[in-house]
Amino acid sequence: MKSIVAGQRAVSAREFAELALGVDNAPFDALFGGVAGESTDEYQARTDVAREVLAELVPAPGPPWAHAPLP
């Protein structure tokens, strides 16, 4: 089976996710996976930001129109 997203062929699972989600994985890998040698303060800051990002990406419960921004 071919992995084609938006007319582009993905050659790996990582590239498929990047094409499907419309974002580059590199920043997300560092944000959610961490980086080698990070300090406790850096870890805390990174995980705080990761929680905020997830909170924005995960839809709130309830009907979608209830969470639409006001004009």
Side-chain angles (χ1 to χ4, degrees), residues 4-49:
I4 300 176
V5 177
Q8 296 184 24
R9 185 173 296 184
V11 296
S12 67
R14 178 186 206 119
E15 189 172 293
F16 181 83
E18 182 179 323
L19 290 170
L21 298 173
V23 295
D24 181 10
N25 274 347
F28 287 99
D29 287 348
L31 179 61
F32 295 106
V35 293
E38 70 183 351
S39 69
T40 304
D41 290 338
E42 291 169 330
Y43 171 82
Q44 187 63 47
R46 180 180 57 78
T47 55
D48 288 347
V49 171

Side-chain angles (χ1 to χ4, degrees), residues 53-67:
V53 167
L54 287 176
E56 289 182 19
L57 293 175
V58 176
W65 61 85
H67 307 291

